[in-house]
Amino acid sequence: MASVLKRDTSFENIPSIKAKTLRINLNPDIYGSFAEIGAGQETARHFFRSGGASGTIAKAMSAYDKDFSDAIYGVEADGRYVTQARLKRMLAHEMNLMEERISREKHPERLFFSYANTVATIDFSKRYKGHGWVGIRFQLEPGQKEFDEIILHIRFKQNEARLQQETLGTVGVNLIYGAFYKYDKPRKLLRYIYDHIDKDTIEIDMVNFSGPNFKNVDNRLMSLQLIRNNMTDAVMFGPDGNNLLPAAELYKKNILAMRGSFRPVTKVNTDMFHKSYDIFIRDPSVNEEKTIIIFEITLSNLRASGEIDEQDFMDRAELLCSLGQTVMISKFQEYYKLVEYFNNYTKEKIGLTMGVNNLVDIFDEKYYRNLSGGILEAFGKLFFKDLQVYLYPMKNTETGQIMTSNNVKVHPRMKELYKFFKYNGKVMDIIDYDPEIMHIFSRDVLKKIMNEEGGWEEMLPEGIAEMIKNNKLFTRKQLPEKKEDTKKKTAKK
């Protein structure tokens, strides 16, 4: 099929929002609808102002009244409006109308799109700054049956609704422009969302690309870009590889989190998880149906060998996803920051599964020198909620002694502080551990794999060794930049 968009480099470096909207408006093929709820029609306004909008905008609407919105898009099961499900309904509904009402015979070359956002701006008390879902469903070929789609979630940081509205309008223009002219460079497209926007005005904490022109895009890698580009502090993805919104996944949930390198995931990791989970759900305050398990990796861990190796990241992700786990990547090197993040979304019980070495590090004062209140301030944030540490024992390689919470060695100045938390039940030993696997360490397994030595297979959970061998995990170089099909039209003046 002949492409409908031809590359036009004359506009490539024009920085203004007006130039972006004008380029789209002057393209006779790009044609779509705008549906914006919660912050005015800020995106459509840019297109109207730049001129030539009659050839681009089929419809611009804003169904503010909830009953009216429900009459158009239907009622959500949870009764909420600022959700991904609502956004998807809006995108699908508006695109279906485009297909129904615009004749393909009369306009065979048109590329349809539907842009939508559903947001809540800052409240009057200014305690809740607001957030929103923004997305576009679009075609890059006329008559393309399976649509491409980009969906992202933003959090506002500004303290005025007017400023948030203006920022939202700019985000919308950048997204629409990127969808048609930067779709073949999804990493750059993400960065371009911030064109003409200061990094401290919004946070993008989730993005998903889908559709035929994004078939080679791994959304887990896109999550990683959000962290690397300082767009957010933490990202999550599920076993299916699609990105999740942390706030939605953590909201009012009991949380059991285990931090590690998982390079690769070993029998010790899975034993730690299963044994701590058994303890966690036996707690009377924990509702198993409202519990989420998180395998967390810090950004500093991903940088352990210098720069972030994306292939190494993907290898770890593949293994954890194959085990059905939800993965979080965060910038929180200290545990108290991780717990503080969780506390933003839930007041339920939080459990941390860790080994003896991790516990010793928590009681090391050097990690808290940046805090005015030092280690006491950090511990106030770490332990003041309903939090419990589940401690997996470690075997001392020199003495053969099993190290638990009862004989762990902390700095002499920290002994009394440690006793306080220990005797108040904040640290609980995992006692039904498997003594036959205590010699296993991820770093030793990784060394054997990279040196092509034998004997590491039995150190890993069932099926993991086969995945590593079949896919040659942890042995390849960093992922190359994936190139999408660049033969599509990207502009026609």
Side-chain angles (χ1 to χ4, degrees), residues 18 53 63 115 369 387 468:
K18 182 177 180 180
Y115 166 83
R369 289 170 183 161
L387 180 138
I468 292 175

Side-chain angles (χ1 to χ4, degrees), residues 392-406:
Y392 197 83
M394 182 181 74
K395 188 173 184 178
N396 188 311
T397 54
E398 294 180 359
T399 66
Q401 182 183 23
I402 303 298
M403 307 298 294
T404 69
S405 68
N406 296 314

Side-chain angles (χ1 to χ4, degrees), residues 216-273:
N216 293 324
V217 175
D218 193 302
N219 282 308
R220 293 169 294 190
L221 274 179
M222 293 301 105
S223 263
L224 185 60
Q225 305 313 307
L226 296 179
I227 290 277
R228 294 179 73 173
N229 296 331
N230 293 315
M231 296 177 181
T232 189
D233 291 329
V235 294
M236 293 175 65
F237 52 86
D240 61 359
N242 276 325
N243 294 333
L244 305 170
L245 178 64
E249 298 302 312
L250 302 174
Y251 185 65
K252 293 186 177 181
K253 296 283 183 64
N254 303 289
I255 302 171
L256 178 62
M258 183 168 75
R259 170 174 287 182
S261 66
F262 310 116
R263 193 179 183 227
V265 59
T266 67
K267 284 184 176 179
V268 172
N269 296 137
T270 54
D271 195 46
M272 290 174 70
F273 157 61

